Amino acid sequence: MSITVNLYYTGKNGSAAAFAKEMEESGIAAEIRAEKGNLRYDYFIPMNDSETVLLIDSWESQEALDVHHASPMMAELAALREKYDLHMKAERYIGADNPDDERFIRK
Protein backbone atom coordinates (compact mmCIF):
# COMPACT_ATOMS: atom_id res chain seq x y z
CA MET A 1 0.00 0.00 0.00
CA SER A 2 1.57 3.29 -1.09
CA ILE A 3 1.94 6.37 1.09
CA THR A 4 1.72 9.92 -0.22
CA VAL A 5 2.74 12.91 1.84
CA ASN A 6 1.79 16.38 0.67
CA LEU A 7 4.21 18.87 2.20
CA TYR A 8 3.40 22.56 1.98
CA TYR A 9 6.50 24.76 2.33
CA THR A 10 5.62 28.39 3.04
CA GLY A 11 8.04 31.30 3.20
CA LYS A 12 8.34 34.96 2.29
CA ASN A 13 9.56 36.88 -0.74
CA GLY A 14 9.79 33.83 -2.98
CA SER A 15 11.84 31.74 -0.56
CA ALA A 16 9.71 28.59 -0.98
CA ALA A 17 10.16 28.65 -4.76
CA ALA A 18 13.89 29.34 -4.32
CA PHE A 19 14.11 26.32 -2.00
CA ALA A 20 12.42 24.03 -4.56
CA LYS A 21 14.68 25.39 -7.30
CA GLU A 22 17.80 24.67 -5.22
CA MET A 23 16.52 21.16 -4.38
CA GLU A 24 16.25 20.49 -8.12
CA GLU A 25 19.46 22.21 -9.22
CA SER A 26 21.60 20.73 -6.43
CA GLY A 27 20.56 17.20 -7.35
CA ILE A 28 19.02 16.41 -3.96
CA ALA A 29 15.56 15.95 -5.50
CA ALA A 30 17.01 13.60 -8.13
CA GLU A 31 18.77 11.59 -5.40
CA ILE A 32 15.48 11.22 -3.54
CA ARG A 33 13.68 10.13 -6.72
CA ALA A 34 16.36 7.47 -7.20
CA GLU A 35 15.89 6.01 -3.72
CA LYS A 36 14.44 2.52 -3.54
CA GLY A 37 10.69 2.73 -3.01
CA ASN A 38 10.20 6.32 -4.17
CA LEU A 39 7.23 6.64 -6.51
CA ARG A 40 7.00 10.41 -6.87
CA TYR A 41 8.80 13.53 -5.71
CA ASP A 42 7.46 16.65 -7.45
CA TYR A 43 7.12 20.33 -6.55
CA PHE A 44 4.17 22.56 -7.50
CA ILE A 45 3.20 26.17 -6.79
CA PRO A 46 -0.49 26.71 -5.95
CA MET A 47 -2.10 29.26 -8.25
CA ASN A 48 -3.69 31.05 -5.30
CA ASP A 49 -0.57 31.23 -3.09
CA SER A 50 2.76 32.12 -4.70
CA GLU A 51 4.54 31.99 -1.32
CA THR A 52 3.84 28.27 -0.91
CA VAL A 53 5.32 25.27 -2.69
CA LEU A 54 3.59 21.89 -2.56
CA LEU A 55 5.73 18.77 -2.58
CA ILE A 56 3.95 15.55 -3.50
CA ASP A 57 6.13 12.78 -2.08
CA SER A 58 5.00 9.16 -2.64
CA TRP A 59 6.55 5.91 -1.43
CA GLU A 60 5.84 2.21 -1.93
CA SER A 61 5.63 1.55 1.81
CA GLN A 62 6.18 2.96 5.28
CA GLU A 63 9.46 1.05 5.41
CA ALA A 64 10.76 2.82 2.29
CA LEU A 65 9.73 6.18 3.77
CA ASP A 66 11.47 5.32 7.07
CA VAL A 67 14.71 4.49 5.21
CA HIS A 68 14.45 7.82 3.39
CA HIS A 69 13.91 9.70 6.66
CA ALA A 70 17.00 8.01 8.14
CA SER A 71 19.22 8.87 5.15
CA PRO A 72 22.07 11.41 5.35
CA MET A 73 20.43 13.65 2.73
CA MET A 74 17.73 14.53 5.28
CA ALA A 75 20.33 16.73 7.02
CA GLU A 76 20.96 18.53 3.71
CA LEU A 77 17.23 18.99 3.23
CA ALA A 78 16.78 20.32 6.78
CA ALA A 79 19.64 22.78 6.27
CA LEU A 80 17.96 24.12 3.12
CA ARG A 81 14.66 24.51 4.96
CA GLU A 82 16.48 26.58 7.58
CA LYS A 83 18.36 28.57 4.93
CA TYR A 84 15.06 29.64 3.36
CA ASP A 85 13.23 29.99 6.72
CA LEU A 86 10.37 27.76 5.63
CA HIS A 87 7.38 26.63 7.66
CA MET A 88 5.66 23.37 6.85
CA LYS A 89 2.29 21.69 6.90
CA ALA A 90 1.88 17.99 6.07
CA GLU A 91 -0.98 15.81 4.88
CA ARG A 92 -0.64 12.04 4.69
CA TYR A 93 -2.60 9.70 2.42
CA ILE A 94 -2.65 5.92 2.18
CA GLY A 95 -3.08 4.68 -1.38
CA ALA A 96 -6.00 2.46 -2.19
CA ASP A 97 -6.79 1.23 -5.66
CA ASN A 98 -10.46 1.75 -6.34
CA PRO A 99 -11.67 0.63 -9.77
CA ASP A 100 -14.85 2.70 -9.30
CA ASP A 101 -12.72 5.85 -9.58
CA GLU A 102 -11.82 4.95 -13.17
CA ARG A 103 -15.21 6.08 -14.44
CA PHE A 104 -14.33 9.66 -13.40
CA ILE A 105 -10.90 9.69 -15.06
CA ARG A 106 -10.67 10.99 -18.62
CA LYS A 107 -7.74 9.37 -20.42
Side-chain angles (χ1 to χ4, degrees):
M1 186 177 312
S2 66
I3 295 170
T4 297
V5 180
N6 288 354
L7 290 168
Y8 297 85
Y9 292 104
T10 302
K12 294 180 183 172
N13 302 316
S15 62
F19 161 79
K21 183 177 180 181
E22 187 166 344
M23 285 290 293
E24 292 293 343
E25 290 178 352
S26 69
I28 296 172
E31 288 179 45
I32 293 169
R33 289 182 190 108
E35 285 185 88
K36 184 177 182 204
N38 182 266
L39 301 173
R40 181 176 190 179
Y41 194 89
D42 294 309
Y43 292 100
F44 300 90
I45 297 175
M47 292 185 69
N48 65 345
D49 183 0
S50 62
E51 293 298 337
T52 295
V53 168
L54 166 64
L55 167 63
I56 300 178
D57 188 16
S58 296
W59 296 85
E60 288 179 352
S61 65
Q62 181 62 52
E63 293 76 22
L65 183 56
D66 290 344
V67 169
H68 166 65
H69 284 153
S71 72
M73 79 179 67
M74 286 305 293
E76 294 177 66
L77 209 159
L80 283 180
R81 289 179 192 153
E82 288 296 317
K83 174 182 176 179
Y84 290 102
D85 191 26
L86 299 177
H87 299 275
M88 298 167 59
K89 179 180 93 170
E91 301 169 339
R92 182 182 180 100
Y93 302 94
I94 305 298
D97 294 328
N98 185 344
D100 291 338
D101 291 341
E102 289 298 316
R103 63 190 169 128
F104 298 107
I105 307 297
R106 182 171 186 244
K107 295 183 180 184

